[in-house]
Amino acid sequence: MATNENILSHKQRIDVMGHKGLWFGISIAIMIPCIIAIVICFQRFGAPVKLGIDFTGGTLMELTFLQPAKIEDVRKVFEKQGVEPHITAATDNKTYSIRTPYLDKAKSLSLKADLRKVGSYDEPHFRLESVGPTIGKELLRNAAMALGLGILGILLYITFRYQFDFALSAIIAMVHDGVIMLGTFSIFSLLLGAEADGLLVVAILTIMGFSVHDTIVIFDRFRENLKFAKKGDTFGQIANASVNQTLARSINTSLTLVLTLLPLVILGGHTIFFFTLTMLIGVVVGAYSSIFNAGPILVMLRERGTKKSNGTQAATNPSA
């Protein structure tokens, strides 16, 4: 059974609460370029990231020719049928990614057939996706609703299980993760032309859930240790001990996920590259915010609340 003595005598590897200014500074330094990238994306694409056909609607074709093909010949195939394509070619001029406005099935199959005139291609791996503009807008709206409902559900659950300041700290840490993930993808959109699809929403929601789960484990230790606090123990001391007691568990859990995602980033191929890379960054950022942001924010809120309460008492009872 835990006691006050063994709580505060536990080896304090890191003075997390004593250096909260440093942790907040690191977070702000990372968030600033992310926020700038999001703003630039809004100006350029009308959205925080470059949206793919899942959200904008359109048709996407990806194919690999068996021999190098000229981009001009590929473009002519589309222009002959009155379609304006946006073509991206790999450096070997074999693999092409072609985006067009929304095409019906007959038109898409006709173009697919005409591409054989340019050269033979890998038929089994020909990728053809079409999303209508109405469905795209609906997916975008549903994705925004999913994010909003997820945040609201977490806020209500943590408030019910703990207290409002616990929930507020967890939400701030979670928003920190979301901004960095979204901002990182914005940078990918600006520099590498990455387009957001439904997988990005999955990645953000998954990491937000993972981050909150990790934060709740730490908060749960807070609550357990507070039961054994003695007079004179500060909330910050208890919080620091709690974070250090769960430090190894938080790092090991995140490291396991990193080791799982890393091979997928390296070997998973172009289709899921940005999804797995965003997940990988999110795991690292989520672990950081759970350890170095959520607890210090909670301590800061408690200290501010205590000062405010003391100030109110002093004002109403000057002789005290």
Side-chain angles (χ1 to χ4, degrees):
M1 183 176 177
T3 65
N4 174 269
E5 184 180 355
N6 63 29
I7 290 170
L8 297 184
S9 63
H10 188 277
K11 186 178 179 181
Q12 308 286 308
R13 295 185 178 87
I14 305 176
D15 184 8
V16 177
M17 305 307 156
H19 297 91
K20 51 180 176 288
L22 172 64
W23 316 129
F24 293 158
I26 292 173
S27 291
I28 292 171
I30 297 172
M31 289 175 69
I32 287 175
C34 291
I35 292 171
I36 291 173
I38 290 172
V39 171
I40 294 174
C41 277
F42 260 115
Q43 292 175 336
R44 188 173 296 181
F45 307 122
V49 294
K50 186 179 181 182
L51 300 176
I53 64 169
D54 282 8
F55 300 120
T56 61
T59 297
L60 173 67
M61 296 184 190
E62 285 186 356
L63 72 161
T64 301
F65 290 102
L66 300 182
Q67 299 294 328
K70 293 181 179 178
I71 191 169
E72 295 81 8
D73 294 338
V74 176
R75 188 181 301 279
K76 285 178 183 175
V77 169
F78 287 82
E79 290 177 345
K80 279 184 179 177
Q81 298 206 29
V83 178
E84 184 65 31
H86 177 75
I87 303 175
T88 304
T91 53
D92 60 0
N93 282 338
K94 288 184 178 179
T95 301
Y96 283 85
S97 176
I98 306 155
R99 284 188 58 190
T100 69
Y102 176 72
L103 304 174
D104 59 26
K105 186 176 180 180
K107 192 82 169 180
S108 299
L109 293 178
S110 174
L111 285 165
K112 181 181 177 183
D114 285 353
L115 283 169
R116 294 193 185 93
K117 298 174 183 176
V118 178
S120 300
Y121 55 78
D122 186 1
E123 186 85 23
H125 294 98
F126 188 96
R127 181 185 176 191
L128 173 59
E129 294 178 7
S130 291
V131 178
T134 304
I135 294 176
K137 290 180 181 177
E138 185 178 342
L139 285 173
L140 186 60
R141 185 174 61 250
N142 290 344
M145 285 180 62
L147 284 171
L149 289 174
I151 292 174
L152 180 62
I154 290 168
L155 180 66
L156 293 175
Y157 174 74
I158 300 180
T159 302
F160 174 74
R161 279 290 308 276
Y162 301 91
Q163 295 176 34
F164 179 71
D165 53 358
F166 279 78
L168 185 59
S169 305
I171 293 294
I172 293 173
M174 189 179 67
V175 170
H176 160 276
D177 302 341
V179 168
I180 292 180
M181 288 184 67
L182 198 62
T184 303
F185 202 90
S186 300
I187 294 172
F188 293 156
S189 293
L190 293 170
L191 300 182
L192 304 174
E195 296 181 349
D197 56 16
L199 288 177
L200 178 64
V201 180
V202 173
I204 292 177
L205 285 175
T206 302
I207 293 303
M208 288 168 70
F210 166 78
S211 175
V212 169
H213 172 265
D214 209 26
T215 301
I216 286 176
V217 170
I218 297 172
F219 283 178
D220 209 48
R221 185 59 62 94
F222 278 25
R223 191 170 61 176
E224 288 296 316
N225 287 340
L226 283 171
K227 295 177 183 175
F228 304 102
K230 289 182 177 178
K231 189 175 181 181
D233 293 342
T234 65
F235 188 80
Q237 288 175 320
I238 300 297
N240 201 62
S242 303
V243 170
N244 276 277
Q245 288 169 14
T246 55
L247 189 63
R249 181 255 177 214
S250 297
I251 292 175
N252 289 337
T253 303
S254 302
L255 191 60
T256 303
L257 286 172
V258 168
L259 293 176
T260 304
L261 288 168
L262 200 56
L264 288 173
V265 173
I266 298 171
L267 304 172
H270 174 74
T271 304
I272 62 170
F273 174 74
F274 290 112
F275 166 70
T276 52
L277 184 58
T278 304
M279 285 279 289
L280 180 64
I281 293 170
V283 168
V284 175
V285 171
Y288 178 85
S289 70
S290 297
I291 297 170
F292 298 107
N293 285 347
I297 291 171
L298 177 59
V299 170
M300 199 169 65
L301 291 174
R302 281 292 170 102
E303 289 174 346
R304 182 170 296 181
T306 303
K307 287 179 182 176
K308 189 175 180 180
S309 176
N310 292 338
T312 303
Q313 288 181 5
T316 56
N317 186 16
S319 61

